[in-house]
Amino acid sequence: MDQISGTVALVGRPNVGKSTLFNKLTKTRDALVANVPGLTRDRRYGVLSSADKSIRLIDTGGVFGDHELSDVLFEQTLVAVKESDLVVLLFDGREGITAVDQEIVDYLRSQNIDFLPVINKVDGVSRDQLVSEFSLFGFDDLAFISSAHGIGVSHFVDRLSSSFENSSIEPDSEVQEKGTRVAVIGRPNVGKSTLVNRLIGEDRQVVFDMPGTTKDSIDIPFNLEGADYVLIDTAGVRRKGKVSEITEKFSVVKALDAMERAQVAILVLDAQEGVVDQDLHILEYALSVGCGLIIAVNKWDGLDRDQKEQANKSLERKLSFIPWVIVKRISALHGSGVGHLFSEVEAVKVAGEFEVSTSYLSRVLEALVQAHPAPSIRGRNIRLKVATRAGSFPPRIAIHGNQLKELPGSYKRYLENGFRERLDLIGNPVFIDFRDSENPFAGRRNELTRKQKNRRTRIIRHKKRRQRRQ
């Protein structure tokens, strides 16, 4: 998993295209965006993967103006700005400068906040006209993009990456070397700390009495049956409108960091409340950063027989999109079901290491293609040649072939599910990189031999004679 190099907040007035750019950069759809409504309305977190680094993005709600929620949105956007290493300020190129834009620029400058000005929706608008209009602000440099159509986005990504050339959020190297990193994540009051206490033993309870425990992510090394682990106890990610204390808002970012550097995450749910939207948002973020995942349904012993039956149906329905994730019913308080939890952690960790040869991956790819061939595109077959191991935590596969950019999304999901099933990659998301083979003759001119040149001359001469006769 790539380390997070920095955090970028997307800021601007409503409807300038912040969410569209967020989706473009994180390569997500609206339904799959990693929402974290515990911070503010319309606040989203995601990860931009570029080259050999990853950048955390924060999509904020539109701020300023006379909207009834403007004060709330401003407060929460300000938190995003403080969390960020860089602020990207978006403008609407079609509408030009507005009074609200002026208000935002004035505020950022009055607070000495460095920001990168970006003009969105530039398709169909004269570049000279935009430069002339926005010269009012006296910007040294402007970026021009159209997030909806992808114009200028790749160049913009390069600029973001270069801004974090020599920075990264480094986990504690001493702790990282000691064992498998397991993050315990979830909403507040679902029993995360109780589960951590149960897993490491009551004699380590003093660790959690230290100031800041509920506001930060605490790394706890311990040994279980000869295997080394590092448990990361995280702060709960609240629902929207429930986060008011500034330190608590920052603790949510620490929880996200914990997911990003963990090899396996245990998502703790409350059996009495079932799977709520916030659980799904946390789950989606963990999967998007490549965590191996186990779901622990806590307080299971507090349900009667009918409630358990109803809860099982609800879990099956709401978690149907991830049938490959292990679901355990536990009671952290009384210990039921907790004893076998780390055997599942070990299984997910081994799968995440993804120790597999290129020859075996290629045989699996060949079997999948034979069982369900790739569709033809404009009469030409899409060729999937070789599969290679591209990384671990999460398992990453590189498939080489021709015209792979034309593969439909449904076939990509077929390959992903096929590899996961045949390689038994339980509890792990599978990332596949499709790499088109380069044409060795691209850009090369085919020089004619002397014989071919003479033949071409004779043909041209013969055609001219026929034309004169006619």
Side-chain angles (χ1 to χ4, degrees), residues 3 168-179 181 217-221 230 232 257 261:
Q3 295 172 354
S168 63
I169 298 174
E170 296 283 353
D172 188 325
S173 58
E174 181 180 355
V175 171
Q176 185 171 346
E177 294 174 356
K178 288 185 178 179
R181 299 182 300 281
S217 297
I218 303 299
D219 289 8
I220 309 167
V230 179
I232 310 173
D257 282 335
R261 61 190 177 93

Side-chain angles (χ1 to χ4, degrees), residues 123-139:
D123 44 309
V125 182
S126 169
R127 184 70 56 88
D128 292 338
Q129 175 184 340
L130 292 173
V131 172
S132 175
E133 181 172 4
F134 282 87
S135 63
L136 172 68
F137 290 128
F139 294 138

Side-chain angles (χ1 to χ4, degrees), residues 80-368:
V81 170
K82 290 181 178 179
E83 291 172 355
S84 303
D85 302 296
L86 177 66
V87 172
V88 171
L89 175 57
L90 262 69
F91 300 96
D92 189 326
R94 294 175 186 168
E95 294 188 8
I97 296 175
T98 68
V100 177
D101 292 326
Q102 182 71 62
E103 190 179 352
I104 299 174
V105 171
D106 291 344
Y107 178 82
L108 293 177
R109 284 176 169 169
S110 68
Q111 300 298 313
N112 294 320
I113 297 171
D114 292 330
F115 61 92
L116 172 63
V118 178
I119 302 178
N120 192 23
K121 307 180 185 180
V122 299
D123 44 309
V125 182
S126 169
R127 184 70 56 88
D128 292 338
Q129 175 184 340
L130 292 173
V131 172
S132 175
E133 181 172 4
F134 282 87
S135 63
L136 172 68
F137 290 128
F139 294 138
D140 294 330
D141 194 13
L142 279 170
F144 300 89
I145 66 170
S146 172
S147 54
H149 299 93
I151 300 173
V153 173
S154 60
H155 179 64
F156 171 68
V157 170
D158 291 339
R159 290 187 60 178
L160 284 185
S161 298
S162 63
S163 300
F164 301 100
E165 200 64 44
N166 299 314
S167 63
S168 63
I169 298 174
E170 296 283 353
D172 188 325
S173 58
E174 181 180 355
V175 171
Q176 185 171 346
E177 294 174 356
K178 288 185 178 179
T180 305
R181 299 182 300 281
V182 182
V184 181
I185 60 177
R187 295 180 290 114
N189 303 321
V190 293
K192 298 186 299 300
S193 294
T194 305
L195 176 59
V196 171
N197 285 338
R198 175 65 62 177
L199 290 172
I200 67 175
E202 291 301 322
D203 57 322
R204 296 295 299 273
Q205 178 67 27
V206 65
V207 173
F208 307 106
D209 291 334
M210 295 175 60
T213 298
T214 59
K215 304 296 184 185
D216 205 348
S217 297
I218 303 299
D219 289 8
I220 309 167
F222 79 107
N223 184 281
L224 179 65
E225 298 179 356
D228 290 323
Y229 296 94
V230 179
L231 271 181
I232 310 173
D233 185 20
T234 66
V237 182
R238 289 178 180 265
R239 299 174 301 170
K240 62 183 179 180
K242 294 297 183 182
V243 179
S244 57
E245 189 179 342
I246 291 295
T247 55
E248 187 175 357
K249 294 167 186 174
F250 285 108
S251 73
V252 175
V253 176
K254 293 293 187 72
L256 301 183
D257 282 335
M259 297 182 213
E260 287 154 6
R261 61 190 177 93
Q263 295 164 314
V264 180
I266 301 175
L267 174 59
V268 183
L269 308 181
D270 189 324
Q272 297 174 353
E273 295 184 14
V275 182
V276 300
D277 289 344
Q278 184 68 0
D279 295 324
L280 296 176
H281 295 323
I282 299 171
L283 184 153
E284 287 169 357
Y285 189 90
L287 295 179
S288 72
V289 298
C291 267
L293 191 65
I294 296 172
I295 295 177
V297 186
N298 193 24
K299 308 176 185 178
W300 190 255
D301 56 342
L303 305 181
D304 59 31
R305 186 171 183 176
D306 292 337
Q307 288 174 326
K308 287 181 179 179
E309 183 177 352
Q310 185 177 358
N312 280 324
K313 291 180 180 178
S314 177
L315 288 169
E316 183 178 354
R317 183 179 71 256
K318 292 189 176 182
L319 301 178
S320 60
F321 67 102
I322 47 169
W324 40 271
V325 171
I326 299 170
V327 180
K328 301 289 291 183
R329 281 82 171 166
I330 67 168
S331 171
L333 183 61
H334 300 104
S336 60
V338 176
H340 301 291
L341 197 57
F342 264 82
S343 62
E344 306 292 0
V345 168
E346 194 63 25
V348 173
K349 176 238 182 180
V350 170
E353 289 174 341
F354 197 45
E355 298 294 342
V356 61
S357 66
T358 296
S359 59
Y360 185 70
L361 279 177
S362 295
R363 289 198 298 271
V364 173
L365 175 63
E366 183 180 0
L368 291 173

Side-chain angles (χ1 to χ4, degrees), residues 354 361 387-390 395-399 419 423 430-433:
F354 197 45
L361 279 177
T388 60
R389 179 184 181 273
R396 190 180 294 272
I397 301 169
I399 295 180
F419 275 110
L423 300 175
V430 177
F431 293 173
I432 300 181
D433 300 329

